[in-house]
């Protein structure tokens, strides 16, 4: 697709000045119930007669199931049912799967015939309590015939490797090489090519609340109600209904507040399907709530696990020309979301830099591990890390200043189409960088670093500048294929606003539940901005899927932008009706009315005025005061579609616009490495983010700190470690190390606001940014600290073991 | 298995319940006493979401059998607020946004209670080390530390309750 | 992650405890102290005792007192109580310092000194401290009471000299009031988690000369071990920087810690070196301050 053939962008918006509520750090509407311990999480809910499920999980990474005897378990006290994988395969169809060719790597709620990772479920027990269910698990006798496991993703792609799915014929679930722009020409023109091999190992969201569902199947009506803390069911409800073999209009999925997700509760279908299957089997409400072992080993949401071979072509002055990226991604035993993680990477593959062309080869390897799902960043955080390691290495090898090489390559003209076809809507990368350098006291720390080196101390400063995409398009699900199975293009979000007879406003949200973000606060602030009310007076309701309007749910930092659009649209409808009603009430021409401070008044005659409450009571109760065609009530809905996406080109040399609202950030951690213990400690940490117009600055700051804390985990502590036999060595929090308050430094946070031209108020998404930046920044910092030793870490997490091994290797090679 | 009658004095109210000796204190609080505010996170004593005060001291209720608490006074998050009035810790957690998903919050609040009761004037560093016993996956801890320090100040009578509706925006760099 | 069923009793005397253990010997009985190690193992169903004897009502085990030259800590004294005790601060400041590294305060509020010693986790702090302080462990069992020196108590990972049916009743620590310097340092990957390596050091000096050194390590072997080579290297010297390095090297050369996912043998040895140096330096500086 050429520039000339690109569809025109949407019209540029003008944003309101002097906002009253958007931009204020109000206290969150959601919080009082959580502060009182009345959050109403899935574990807090009890239905009459509810039974409990526990899952028997595989101790083997790869084994054939040759027999299961459940007699003793069935006879155990309090047990109502035991369902094996084979029985489950009769009760349910395969789980919803967006991966390539799902029939060749069929994924079910329980393993049938063979297990493919440690932790995969092989049977379930339904009992009076979780205690009794676990007692009975121990009585299930499973015979396994162990098979050789495949654990390393590159070995998995070798000829003759053991097959995770025989039907696939190999362990490569997807392979393609994309070329965007004139890669060969740009490499030929370049002065130097910097190459590297990088390894990002898997971690995961690990919310403190696990995933769960309560299912209640009414045999009399065939109606199935599922309460779950997983999300995003509304648009894809029919897929879950299909798995359960019931009509979609007999299924209602009701959102529950989630005790954290970080992506890992995104469309987590397995717990809901297990609970529903069991409820139908026993005819009573059933809860399945993962325990921590389930969640660590069987959550279907491990994060990215990539090997990279990268070549970055530059001119000697640091001008970046082109990049070739070759990555193998270890998806584990299944591939439910396909290679969407790489769509996230391609949305911002060149970072904030003018890189003219890109080659991107991705191979998705299947191995005997729990599968990948979503984890804050969804693959873009890995791309940021890869690119910033390359830029950092280039600066070192070319003898260039790490700040200046970045500044030299910054994109400055917006909107800017990157080689993949995605657009960056707006940005001010110099402004963010300048703020960050000041906030971080960059020059001071460079001076300290010199002094420290003289004392034999190893201080490092990690400066990175990187992108923070927001609001995805569904096209990124299928642009991987020339002939995609389901080339969907919808990803709406909806809001209903109701003004009651007293003027009180209730907003109804669809598919968008609470998972630590603040949809209620955001919507309340946006409603308050429109109607000049106090946001704490706005009431919020979450609707279940059955009565839901089209809605895609959270993910890809889309919630605030999409809700803002829906609120704006619903407001416009309400105000149009209210304006017309006021015209009748004041016997004025509606066109002469203006909205001022919570009501309509005649322009130039502010005494001729009706407040929203006055208008609402008339519309609700006084039908005869209005013409026949004026409907009673004051309630309107808006289904808001993505404001700017375009189709990919047929040859996939241009993927279209699929992640257009592009945030940006600069992180500057200062660390010290103890070269005898390999311990990394923080001396300072500054972060400046630009997520467009801020709705609640303190909430965004909270997400930046929290995301950075998770990024610190990814960089230094957290890893799901599988040994050569595919055993999961980190099956508890004694070995899967989540940073405590001691490991997380105090952040200095700066905000920069470059509004988007295409979203309400100029908002961009910002929920994932901290984790998109921190791993890259900390890796750069560690390498900066250890540069005098000739040490460069290329593998995350940078554990003491890896740091010390690198130091020992450098010493031995001298 | 035999059940044992135990008496727990939770938030000042005495209850006698009959429990299996293996039943964890957190499950008795949640299921037998209906106090759902104490959460289950890891069930092996690391994350601290199940923290309650037993005889005034913070403990992990997920690695404590309820029978071990027989006859003891227990305080949970449900005992913090006085009717409509939030405890200063709760109020400051709200104002400072010391919570996001809210799941670790009850445990964090109870641990913070103990920290302030032992040291009414803790430094931010002391609070940081103190709450390192409890994991929070959302906040990165920073606003929790700010909230605990602010609440301690209010409980000492030194600081005023802030404006309920709004907080100043972050300092622009 | 719910514990398996078990039978339970909470007796009030050591005799009853021993009787219950004997009477239920077939049920693989365990005693329950603070439960901070045992209950997680039961939640994972890695431990499945058929009978638990809860020690919480046995008053005789809750003593914390000083007897002439010995600090006596009953097996059921909570770690946080020991940590806060002015008596212990005087008599065994090393113990107080080490307790600060034992998990987190909420764990120490329940966990007991005796429980940690009897659990004998090779990476735990208190066994290394008991060894460094030449503590004696008092036990009671079917065949009476025994006094076991710490050096003979720890036999392997989670294995002690306790016989079936025998329990730990008291820890007796020689008082070291006003004598020498002490230090406990350790390296854990995250705050409060199990340490990779810990070092307990007690160093006595007279006129700038080291007259005695007791240095032990945790996490580097199947039991806590004494860094005898380092003790010898320091003894009789003024412990200048070069001597400390000799001592550290001598001790490290004797180590061959097993590697695991958190650190290879080489990594753990490097870290042990750092902890040894840190522990020796801190203990020395405190010994010098004492003079």
């Amino acid at each position: 697709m050429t520039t000339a053939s690109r569809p025109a962008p949407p019209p540029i918006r003008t944003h309101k000045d002097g906002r009253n509520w958007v931009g204020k750090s109000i206290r969150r509407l959601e919080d009082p119930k959580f502060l009182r311990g009345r959050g109403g999480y899935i574990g807090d809910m009890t239905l009459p007669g509810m039974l409990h499920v526990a899952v028997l999980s595989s101790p083997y990474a790869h084994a054939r199931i040759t027999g299961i005897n459940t007699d003793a378990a069935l006879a155990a006290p309090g047990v109502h049912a035991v369902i094996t994988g084979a029985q489950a395969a009769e009760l349910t169809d395969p789980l919803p799967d967006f991966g390539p060719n799902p029939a060749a790597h069929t994924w079910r709620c329980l393993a049938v015939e063979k297990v493919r990772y440690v932790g995969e479920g092989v049977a379930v027990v339904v009992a009076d309590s979780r205690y009794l269910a676990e007692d009975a698990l121990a009585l299930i006798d499973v015979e396994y015939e162990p098979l050789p496991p495949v654990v390393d993703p590159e070995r998995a792609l070798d000829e003759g490797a053991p097959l995770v799915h025989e039907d696939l014929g190999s362990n490569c679930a997807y392979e393609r090489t994309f070329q965007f722009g004139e890669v060969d020409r740009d490499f030929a023109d370049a002065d130097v090519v910097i190459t590297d091999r990088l390894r990002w190992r898997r971690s995961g969201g690990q919310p403190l609340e696990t995933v769960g569902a309560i299912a209640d199947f009414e045999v009399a009506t065939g109606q199935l109600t599922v309460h779950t803390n997983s999300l995003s069911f509304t648009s894809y409800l029919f897929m879950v209904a299909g798995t359960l073999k019931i009509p979609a209009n007999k299924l209602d999925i009701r959102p529950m507040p989630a005790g954290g997700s970080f992506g890992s509760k995104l469309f987590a279908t397995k717990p809901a399907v297990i609970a529903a299957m069991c409820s139908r089997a026993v005819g009573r409400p059933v809860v399945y709530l993962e325990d921590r072992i389930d969640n660590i080993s069987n959550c279907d949401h491990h994060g990215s696990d990539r090997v990279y071979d990268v070549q970055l072509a530059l001119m000697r002055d640091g001008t970046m020309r082109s990049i070739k990226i070759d990555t193998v991604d270890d998806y584990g035993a299944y591939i439910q979301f396909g290679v969407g993680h790489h769509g996230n990477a391609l949305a911002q593959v060149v970072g904030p830099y003018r890189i003219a062309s890109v080659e991107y080869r991705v191979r998705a390897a299947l191995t005997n591990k729990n599968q990948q799902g979503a984890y804050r960043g969804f693959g873009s955080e890995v791309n940021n890390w890869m690119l910033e390691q390359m830029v950092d290495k280039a600066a070192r090898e070319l003898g260039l200043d790490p700040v200046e090489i970045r500044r030299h390559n910054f994109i400055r003209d917006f909107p800017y189409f990157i080689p993949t076809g995605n657009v960056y809507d707006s940005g001010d990368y110099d402004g963010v960088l300048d703020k960050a350098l000041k906030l971080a006291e960059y020059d001071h720390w460079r001076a300290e670093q010199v002094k420290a080196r003289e004392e034999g101390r190893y201080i490092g400063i990690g400066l990175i500048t990187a992108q923070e995409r927001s609001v995805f398009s569904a096209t990124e699900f299928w642009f991987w294929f020339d002939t995609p199975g389901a080339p969907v293009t919808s990803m709406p979000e909806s809001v209903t606003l109701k003004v009651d007879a007293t003027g009180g406003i209730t907003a109804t949200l669809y598919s968008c539940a609470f998972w630590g973000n603040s949809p209620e606060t955001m919507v309340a602030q946006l409603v308050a901005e429109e109607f000049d009310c106090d946001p704490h007076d706005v009431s919020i309701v979450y609707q279940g899927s059955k009565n839901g309007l089209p809605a895609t749910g959270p993910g890809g930092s889309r919630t605030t932008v999409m809700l803002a659009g829906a609120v704006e649209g619903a407001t416009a409808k309400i105000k149009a009706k209210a304006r017309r009603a006021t015209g009748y009430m004041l016997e004025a021409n509606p066109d002469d009315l203006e909205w001022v401070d919570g009501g309509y008044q005649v322009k130039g005659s502010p005494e001729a005025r009706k407040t929203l409450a006055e208008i609402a009571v008339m519309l609700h109760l006084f039908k005869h005061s209005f013409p026949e065609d004026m409907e009673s009530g004051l309630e309107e809905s808006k289904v808001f579609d993505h404001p700017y996406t375009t189709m990919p080109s047929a040859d996939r040399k241009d993927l279209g616009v699929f992640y257009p609202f592009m945030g940006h950030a600069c992180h500057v951690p200062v660390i010290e490495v103890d070269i005898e213990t390999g311990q990394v400690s923080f001396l300072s940490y500054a972060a400046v983010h630009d997520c467009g117009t801020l709705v609640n600055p303190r909430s965004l700051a909270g997400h930046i700190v929290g995301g950075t804390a998770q990024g610190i985990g990814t960089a230094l502590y957290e890893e799901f470690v599988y040994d050569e036999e595919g055993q999961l060595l980190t099956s508890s929090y004694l070995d899967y190390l989540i940073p405590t308050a001691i490991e997380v430094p105090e952040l200095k946070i700066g905000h920069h606001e470059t509004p988007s031209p295409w979203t309400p108020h100029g908002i961009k998404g910002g929920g994932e940014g901290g984790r998109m930046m921190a791993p890259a920044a900390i890796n750069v910092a560690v390498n900066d600290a250890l540069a005098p030793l000739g040490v460069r870490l290329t593998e995350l997490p940078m554990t003491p073991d890896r740091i010390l091994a690198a130091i020992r290797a450098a010493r031995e090679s001298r | 298995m035999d059940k044992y009658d135990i008496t727990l004095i939770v938030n000042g109210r005495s209850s006698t319940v009959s429990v299996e000796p293996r039943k964890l204190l957190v499950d008795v609080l949640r299921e037998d006493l209906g106090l759902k505010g104490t959460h289950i996170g890891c069930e092996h004593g690391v994350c601290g979401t199940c923290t309650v005060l037993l005889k005034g001291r913070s403990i992990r209720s997920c690695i404590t059998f309820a029978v071990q608490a027989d006859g003891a006074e227990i305080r949970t998050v449900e005992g913090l607020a006085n009717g409509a009035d939030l405890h200063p810790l709760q109020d400051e957690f709200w104002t400072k946004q010391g919570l996001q998903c809210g799941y670790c919050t009850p445990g964090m609040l109870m641990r913070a209670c103990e920290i302030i009761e032992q040291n009414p004037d803790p430094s931010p560093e002391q609070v940081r080390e103190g709450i390192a016993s409890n994991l929070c996956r959302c906040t990165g801890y920073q606003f929790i530390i700010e909230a605990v320090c602010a609440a301690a100040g209010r409980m000492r009578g030194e600081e005023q309750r802030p404006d309920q509706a709004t907080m100043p925006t972050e300092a622009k760099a | 992650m719910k514990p398996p069923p078990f039978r339970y009793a909470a007796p009030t005397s050591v005799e009853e405890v021993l009787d219950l253990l004997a009477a239920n010997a077939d049920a693989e009985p365990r005693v329950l102290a603070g439960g901070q190690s045992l209950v997680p193992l039961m939640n994972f169903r890695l431990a499945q005792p058929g009978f638990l004897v809860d020690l919480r009502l046995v008053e005789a085990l809750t003593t914390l007192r000083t007897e002439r030259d010995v600090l006596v800590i009953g097996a059921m004294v909570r770690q946080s109580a020991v940590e806060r005790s002015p008596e212990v601060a005087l008599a065994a400041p090393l113990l107080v310092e080490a307790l600060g590294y034992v998990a987190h305060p909420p764990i120490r509020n329940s966990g007991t000194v005796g429980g940690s010693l009897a659990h004998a986790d090779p990476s735990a702090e208190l066994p290394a401290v008991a060894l460094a302080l030449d503590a004696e462990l008092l036990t009671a069992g079917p065949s009476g009471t025994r006094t076991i020196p710490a050096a003979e108590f720890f036999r392997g990972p989670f294995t002690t000299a306790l016989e079936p049916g025998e329990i730990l009743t008291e820890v007796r620590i020689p008082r070291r009031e006003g004598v020498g310097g002490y230090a406990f340092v350790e390296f854990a990957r995250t705050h409060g988690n199990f340490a990779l390596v810990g070092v307990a050091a007690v160093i006595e000096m007279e006129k700038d000369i080291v007259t005695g050194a007791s240095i032990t390590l945790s996490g580097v072997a199947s039991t806590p071990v004494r860094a005898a080579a380092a003790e010898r290297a320091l003894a009789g010297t003024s412990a200048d920087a070069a001597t400390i390095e000799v001592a550290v090297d001598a001790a490290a050369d004797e180590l061959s810690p097993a590697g695991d996912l958190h650190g290879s043998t080489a990594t753990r040895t490097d870290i042990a070196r750092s902890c040894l140096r840190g522990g020796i330096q801190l203990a020395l500086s405190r010994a010098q301050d004492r003079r």
Side-chain angles (χ1 to χ4, degrees), chain A residues 146-167:
Chain A
L147 298 168
V150 54
V151 179
D152 180 87
E154 290 178 296
R155 296 291 75 73
L157 299 179
D158 287 346
E159 280 291 314
L163 293 179
V164 180
H165 294 272
E166 286 78 3
D167 289 349

Side-chain angles (χ1 to χ4, degrees), chain A residues 26-28 35-36 41 43-44 131 135 204-205 208 292 514 698-699 702 706 718 733 739 741 744 747 753, chain B residues 22 24 27 30 41 44 83-84 90 94-97 100-102 128 135 137-138 141-142 146 164 172:
Chain A
I26 67 162
R27 309 216 282 190
R28 301 194 323 165
L35 289 162
R36 289 170 179 269
Y41 301 100
D44 301 349
Y131 287 79
D135 292 349
L208 291 183
R292 186 53 55 187
F514 172 86
R698 195 163 175 93
S699 287
E718 297 181 36
Y733 283 170
V744 180
L747 258 64
E753 291 184 76
Chain B
R22 66 159 157 172
L24 300 169
D27 287 328
R30 290 175 57 81
H44 54 284
Q90 292 170 309
W94 191 11
T95 301
K96 302 286 192 199
Q97 298 197 15
Q100 287 176 28
C101 84
R128 182 175 285 279
L135 296 179
R137 198 57 168 155
C138 294
Y141 307 103
Q142 191 158 324
E146 288 181 17
Q164 301 241 342
K172 305 258 169 143

Side-chain angles (χ1 to χ4, degrees), chain C residues 224-249:
Chain C
V225 293
R226 190 169 280 287
E231 294 172 354
R232 283 194 301 273
L234 291 171
T237 74
S238 61
D240 58 11
T243 311
I244 293 173
E245 284 312 304
V246 169
V248 168
D249 286 342

Side-chain angles (χ1 to χ4, degrees), chain A residues 180 339-352 358 360 377-380 383-384 411 416-425 429 467-473 476 479-480 556 655-663 772:
Chain A
F180 307 104
V339 288
H341 310 79
H342 295 272
N344 277 254
L346 290 171
Q348 56 185 51
V349 66
V350 295
V358 176
Y360 197 93
F378 206 75
S380 50
N383 189 80
N384 281 355
I411 292 163
Y416 183 91
F417 287 85
I418 67 169
T420 62
N422 192 37
V423 71
Y424 294 175
D425 56 344
Y429 306 152
Q467 304 300 81
E468 187 176 349
R469 89 287 176 275
S470 70
V471 195
F472 67 81
S473 152
E476 71 151 339
F479 59 43
W480 307 98
L655 301 175
V657 172
F658 61 99
Y659 245 132
F661 312 127
M662 190 57 64
M772 285 195 204

Side-chain angles (χ1 to χ4, degrees), chain A residues 70 81-89 91 110 122-126 274 277-278 281:
Chain A
T70 60
V82 180
I83 299 173
T84 66
Q87 292 164 332
L91 297 171
L110 295 172
V122 294
V124 295
V125 170
V126 188
I274 286 176
M277 171 182 77
C278 294

